[in-house]
Amino acid sequence: MSPALRAPQSELYRPIELTFTGTGVIPADRTPVTVYARHGASGAERVVPGFWDGGTAYRARFAPDLEGEWSWTSESTDAALSGRSGTFEVVRGGDHGPVRVAHRFHFAHADGTPFRPVGATAYNWLHQDEPLFSSTVDAIAEAGFNKFRFMVFPQGGGYIEHVPTLMPFEKTDGRWDVTKPVPEFFQRLDRAVEVLGERGIQADVLIYNAYDRGQFGLNELTEQEDAIYLRYLVARLAAHPHVWWSLCNEFDQLERPDDRWDRTGALLAEIDPHDHLRSIHNWIELYDNNQPWVTHASIQNGSVTTEFGRANLYRDVYGKPVVLDEIKYEGDIPDRWGHLDAEQLVHQFWIATVAGTYASHGESFATESGSLHMVEGGPLRGESPARLGFLRTVLEEIDGAGLDPIDKWDDPAYVAGIPRCLYVQYLGASAPATWDFRLPIGVPGERPEPGDRFQVDVIDTWNMTVTPVGRTFTLDDVQRNDAYDRASAPVELPEGEALALRITRIGG
């Protein structure tokens, strides 16, 4: 690389990769090269860690978050890597940027575009051969999922039929040496993340492994080794705009004190120059998601979405977005977490939705190999994915931050929405024959007023249809906690179907 390099035009939020040639030495306790990127107009500076990528190759990846001219310089104890510089011009492209927390309980891209996560899971996907690897991405993209959870380290234990030969580190004296990452492994991880981004899917990266079961020994890293690996991982992946960090899946299966997780999470927040979303997922014991490093609560709970009024309590406790990343799976295995039918899983997703939370899908049908889709991936077999893709289209049509419970104190209908603008009432798995027009009134939010006019759509959550009622409703009775259109006849419904109502104010 020449001492000064002018790169071609780059797009906003898209990774820029700088490549250096050095001595090939891998520093065990520090970043081999650091890039300082500065935005000319504002003076904003981003400090970007670089990484070794095999042989004498070093790289640093940066995703500019401001339009205009940027300049950069490199710094390293290796003279071959230090003192390099260059400039690049950043223009707006088609990328919306990283997903952030928005309006306290929801998500939006950096440019303000709302993001409604409807997730999928295949823990051991990264380690599968073709065609299974690619068919997984095809399946979740075609179903309409926009977030995908997978582990960096290979999974051990039950339902694991494929043992990878490519591992993340070399061994020294029979123990994994995190100071010697295997470039081919992490290049595969790079490509996996890129493939998801190309299909419009957020990569929810599970960093540490609670499922080693002693098979590989990657669960035996010390806290210092955790930190070395974490710095390397962040340096490689953080420039991708569609990355989410999950510190661990079922963290409480690992015998580690909570304060170790606290320190590791705080380190992650400190070293990520692009400030991606951060979470940690539980098994039995909930993590303290009020920790400042946690951006959103990632929750496993088998019963929280079986009844109305439960999931929203997590919002009250944490004051952050809540993603229910395991609410059991659609499948056919005997384990209590793995044999929901599709109707039940879709029902639970809608309960999560009107609670103002989000959920993730998994499929636990036994595969030909003896594994499960939520372990190895592959084509989807269940009936829920299409219905969850339909739910996502309904969520995408919301003109606002997202759905919040309207009256969380005592609304027997558990209606969610945006006060005075939009309301969604899920009638459950078996709707009544008729519905009388009623809106809850909560605090805070704008109160509906007499004369407000609304249209109503009947959403069939299983048959995936949206049917306008075809008449206008006008509020004529606004009380302290409820508002009604007493003059209108009840809405006739297909009794017994799984239905939701979308109630939208018009002319306002």
Side-chain angles (χ1 to χ4, degrees):
M1 176 174 286
S2 60
L5 174 69
R6 185 171 186 88
Q9 255 186 6
S10 300
E11 289 190 1
L12 189 66
Y13 306 124
R14 298 302 306 158
I16 295 169
E17 181 174 289
L18 304 173
T19 303
F20 306 85
T21 300
T23 61
V25 175
I26 313 170
D29 58 350
R30 64 182 184 277
T31 299
V33 59
T34 300
V35 168
Y36 297 87
R38 298 177 181 86
H39 183 248
S42 68
E45 183 177 77
R46 308 287 182 259
V47 181
V48 182
F51 60 93
W52 174 74
D53 201 27
T56 59
Y58 298 81
R59 307 186 195 283
R61 294 169 177 162
F62 169 61
D65 56 345
L66 293 170
E67 295 176 73
E69 185 172 271
W70 288 79
S71 62
W72 61 269
T73 58
S74 67
E75 183 178 287
S76 175
T77 56
D78 184 340
L81 305 177
S82 192
R84 301 297 188 253
S85 63
T87 61
F88 49 88
E89 186 74 20
V90 175
V91 298
R92 184 169 295 275
D95 202 295
H96 295 296
V99 175
R100 315 280 195 211
V101 172
H103 302 274
R104 192 180 185 192
F105 295 112
H106 303 289
F107 301 100
H109 292 274
D111 70 354
T113 303
F115 179 78
R116 331 285 190 186
V118 180
T121 304
Y123 294 120
N124 226 24
W125 163 70
L126 175 66
H127 308 285
Q128 305 304 316
D129 296 328
E130 293 291 3
L132 197 58
F133 181 88
S134 293
S135 67
T136 302
V137 182
D138 291 340
I140 62 174
E142 290 165 7
F145 294 114
N146 61 0
K147 182 174 81 75
F148 184 55
R149 308 172 65 236
F150 67 96
M151 300 189 335
V152 176
F153 292 166
Q155 186 177 359
Y159 297 111
I160 310 302
E161 301 300 325
H162 174 72
V163 178
T165 56
L166 188 61
M167 300 299 283
F169 312 109
E170 297 181 18
K171 280 189 172 180
T172 299
D173 298 327
R175 181 178 174 83
W176 296 114
D177 188 343
V178 296
T179 70
K180 297 179 180 179
V182 175
E184 293 80 8
F185 177 94
F186 287 97
Q187 289 161 6
R188 178 180 176 85
L189 175 61
D190 289 343
R191 182 57 188 154
V193 171
E194 290 168 1
V195 165
L196 293 174
E198 291 165 1
R199 304 298 291 273
I201 301 167
Q202 302 288 306
D204 200 349
V205 180
L206 303 168
I207 298 173
Y208 299 105
N209 186 358
Y211 304 133
D212 191 287
R213 319 295 192 204
Q215 183 170 345
F216 306 107
L218 288 163
N219 59 331
E220 299 171 1
L221 302 182
T222 66
E223 185 172 353
Q224 182 181 12
E225 290 169 331
D226 275 356
I228 293 170
Y229 156 57
L230 185 64
R231 289 181 182 277
Y232 187 78
L233 183 72
V234 169
R236 291 200 75 113
L237 296 186
H240 293 288
H242 60 287
V243 162
W244 298 30
W245 303 120
S246 178
L247 213 57
C248 190
N249 207 71
E250 297 189 343
F251 81 96
D252 46 322
Q253 289 210 33
L254 286 175
E255 294 183 2
R256 297 179 179 181
D258 283 353
D259 59 354
R260 175 171 168 180
W261 291 113
D262 298 344
R263 290 189 295 271
T264 304
L267 176 62
L268 174 60
E270 175 188 342
I271 64 176
D272 179 4
H274 298 93
D275 194 29
H276 290 288
L277 293 169
R278 301 175 298 270
S279 69
I280 185 169
H281 175 270
N282 68 287
W283 176 41
I284 302 299
E285 299 295 328
L286 288 170
Y287 181 75
D288 178 11
N289 289 298
N290 287 308
Q291 289 285 329
W293 72 266
V294 177
T295 59
H296 65 284
S298 173
I299 302 292
Q300 174 179 183
N301 187 312
S303 65
V304 71
T305 55
T306 55
E307 299 290 343
F308 291 98
R310 296 177 179 176
N312 54 289
L313 297 178
Y314 286 124
R315 293 176 24 128
D316 295 338
V317 170
Y318 298 127
K320 298 175 180 180
V322 173
V323 184
L324 302 166
D325 276 317
E326 188 172 332
I327 56 173
K328 299 184 181 179
Y329 302 121
E330 180 185 2
D332 60 2
I333 61 174
D335 301 89
R336 64 177 182 172
W337 47 264
H339 57 248
L340 292 186
D341 59 34
E343 290 87 349
Q344 180 64 24
L345 185 59
V346 173
H347 169 67
Q348 292 185 203
F349 258 78
W350 276 91
I351 288 180
T353 296
V354 295
T357 64
Y358 301 91
S360 289
H361 163 273
E363 193 168 279
S364 56
F365 294 102
T367 64
E368 291 183 3
S369 71
S371 186
L372 307 173
H373 183 278
M374 43 80 70
V375 172
E376 68 179 17
L380 292 161
R381 291 167 49 189
E383 295 183 279
S384 66
R387 278 83 188 174
L388 301 180
F390 171 72
L391 169 59
R392 181 186 160 197
T393 65
V394 173
L395 294 176
E396 297 284 6
E397 292 173 354
I398 296 169
D399 185 12
L403 298 178
D404 295 300
I406 297 294
D407 178 11
K408 64 182 181 179
W409 193 80
D410 186 19
D411 174 19
Y414 298 98
V415 177
I418 301 169
R420 206 186 179 201
C421 296
L422 171 72
Y423 301 82
V424 175
Q425 180 176 346
Y426 177 49
L427 298 173
S430 182
T434 62
W435 174 77
D436 292 304
F437 190 96
R438 169 199 171 268
L439 299 178
I441 300 175
V443 177
E446 187 177 3
R447 289 178 60 86
E449 298 180 0
D452 284 351
R453 299 162 60 243
F454 294 86
Q455 64 184 22
V456 177
D457 297 315
V458 178
I459 301 172
D460 188 319
T461 67
W462 184 256
N463 293 308
M464 299 178 285
T465 60
V466 178
T467 305
V469 171
R471 51 192 167 102
T472 299
F473 297 83
T474 304
L475 296 184
D476 55 17
D477 182 7
V478 179
Q479 303 178 10
R480 179 179 180 181
N481 301 122
D482 308 89
Y484 302 89
D485 177 355
R486 303 284 191 186
S488 290
V491 175
E492 295 185 1
L493 300 172
E495 184 177 5
E497 297 295 323
L499 304 178
L501 303 172
R502 181 171 59 195
I503 307 159
T504 308
R505 185 179 170 209
I506 56 178

